[in-house]
Amino acid sequence: MDLHKTIAVLEALASGCSPTTGEMVPDESVLSERDVIRALQVAIDRLKEEVPKNYSDVEIDEEDIEAAIQLFREHQMSPTCNRLASFFLATRTFKNESITSNELYGKYKDTYQKGQLLDFFTTYLVNNEYSKHGKKITQSGKNEPWKAIDFFDKETFNNLSEEAIRQLKEKINELGVTKTDDLSDSVQRARINYPRAYEPWTDTEKKFLYEVLRNTNDLELLSECFQRGRRAIKSCGQKLIYENQNLNDGQKSN
């Protein structure tokens, strides 16, 4: 296995995806552990130091790149450098036919080599405020500051009574699910275990979550009640805590 392929596999694992299918791994996977992600990133950075830079002659229309990134987003897929290179070279058959039937699929297969595009897209993503795993970085240059919230990393606690848990589950069930049409295969699979996976968060649901966080940080329990993956619960909870901290700080200063 050459360096480019090795790096591509490690980057997929670090971003929580299968390097073969591109599907997200379950929240309880060892790949979700912080030390594992950090170890993978160290390995990726070290390997990239050994890769010769050969992307200077690559010229790809920026509109093509942004169109491909948008296409991946529509299918809940992060636009990693490996995924973009595979798309433009048609070196990988994506599971979604709407991707492989796109007019840009394989557009540059007779023009560039895989290694060239891996280097090119690695640089492109960084220069255009994407992380190494294809996630957009905020315009301020701070990558999701709410992730510094360690509420869910502290010792697990739960002060909710069985009755309170039952009532919470009823409230979530009453919200229903609105995102039901044209679901990708990955979303359909996720909803087998988490019926509300990839459902847009409403203000009402966020209010329920914020209120319940006063009494528990148990992600397993919250996942059961909100019918979403633990990673989704943690991300939304961190944002809510961060936003309300800022709000409280603003109120104190007035």
Side-chain angles (χ1 to χ4, degrees):
M1 182 181 290
D2 63 23
L3 277 178
H4 288 298
K5 179 64 175 177
T6 302
I7 292 171
V9 170
L10 292 177
E11 284 188 324
L13 294 175
S15 60
C17 301
S18 163
T20 304
T21 64
E23 298 170 4
M24 296 296 293
V25 299
D27 287 339
E28 59 270 17
S29 168
V30 67
L31 295 178
S32 298
E33 295 181 10
R34 184 176 302 177
D35 287 343
V36 173
I37 295 173
R38 288 175 177 171
L40 286 170
Q41 191 57 60
V42 170
I44 291 168
D45 292 341
R46 295 285 175 83
L47 288 174
K48 282 186 175 180
E49 293 175 0
E50 302 178 24
V51 177
K53 302 303 180 184
N54 59 343
Y55 57 83
S56 58
D57 295 330
V58 173
E59 294 183 5
I60 296 181
D61 193 321
E62 188 165 357
E63 290 185 2
D64 288 352
I65 300 173
E66 292 304 315
I69 289 175
Q70 181 59 36
L71 181 63
F72 287 137
R73 285 175 176 166
E74 291 172 356
H75 291 86
Q76 290 80 46
M77 300 168 69
S78 297
T80 63
C81 58
N82 180 57
R83 200 168 274 157
L84 287 166
S86 298
F87 173 77
F88 283 114
L89 297 177
T91 56
R92 164 183 164 189
T93 302
F94 291 85
K95 202 159 188 179
N96 295 302
E97 186 178 347
S98 58
I99 292 180
T100 56
S101 62
N102 187 279
E103 60 181 4
L104 296 175
Y105 181 70
K107 180 176 179 178
Y108 298 94
K109 65 180 179 181
D110 297 323
T111 309
Y112 303 116
Q113 299 296 315
K114 183 72 174 285
Q116 286 178 287
L117 292 198
L118 284 174
D119 289 337
F120 173 79
F121 284 121
T122 296
T123 301
Y124 178 89
L125 291 175
V126 172
N127 289 343
N128 287 273
E129 299 183 317
Y130 287 89
S131 73
K132 295 178 180 180
H133 311 307
K135 294 182 179 179
K136 190 68 173 176
I137 299 174
T138 60
Q139 292 298 318
S140 63
K142 296 181 179 180
N143 190 1
E144 302 176 330
W146 53 83
K147 286 195 173 181
I149 299 296
D150 62 354
F151 177 78
F152 296 99
D153 298 322
K154 296 179 180 179
E155 183 177 353
T156 302
F157 71 93
N158 174 41
N159 299 321
L160 293 171
S161 66
E162 291 186 6
E163 177 61 19
I165 294 173
R166 184 190 67 78
Q167 292 179 358
L168 176 61
K169 289 181 177 180
E170 287 184 354
K171 290 178 180 178
I172 299 303
N173 281 330
E174 291 172 358
L175 293 177
V177 177
T178 60
K179 186 177 179 179
T180 57
D181 296 331
D182 300 322
L183 298 179
S184 66
D185 292 341
S186 60
V187 173
Q188 293 181 50
R189 282 191 293 273
R191 286 192 172 182
I192 294 175
N193 295 319
Y194 308 109
R196 295 181 58 78
Y198 297 99
E199 176 72 7
W201 285 85
T202 64
D203 290 341
T204 299
E205 188 177 11
K206 289 179 181 179
K207 180 180 178 182
F208 289 153
L209 177 59
Y210 185 67
E211 289 177 349
V212 80
L213 293 182
R214 302 174 188 273
N215 293 294
T216 185
N217 68 344
D218 188 337
L219 282 172
E220 186 172 349
L221 173 62
L222 292 169
S223 176
E224 179 185 340
C225 292
F226 285 83
Q227 303 171 37
R228 296 178 182 270
R230 285 176 288 184
R231 189 154 41 190
I233 298 287
K234 181 177 181 179
S235 178
C236 185
Q238 287 175 312
K239 290 179 184 178
L240 290 172
I241 294 171
Y242 177 79
E243 290 168 358
N244 280 276
Q245 279 184 346
N246 285 349
L247 178 62
N248 292 336
D249 290 342
Q251 291 175 338
K252 290 177 183 179
S253 63
N254 286 332

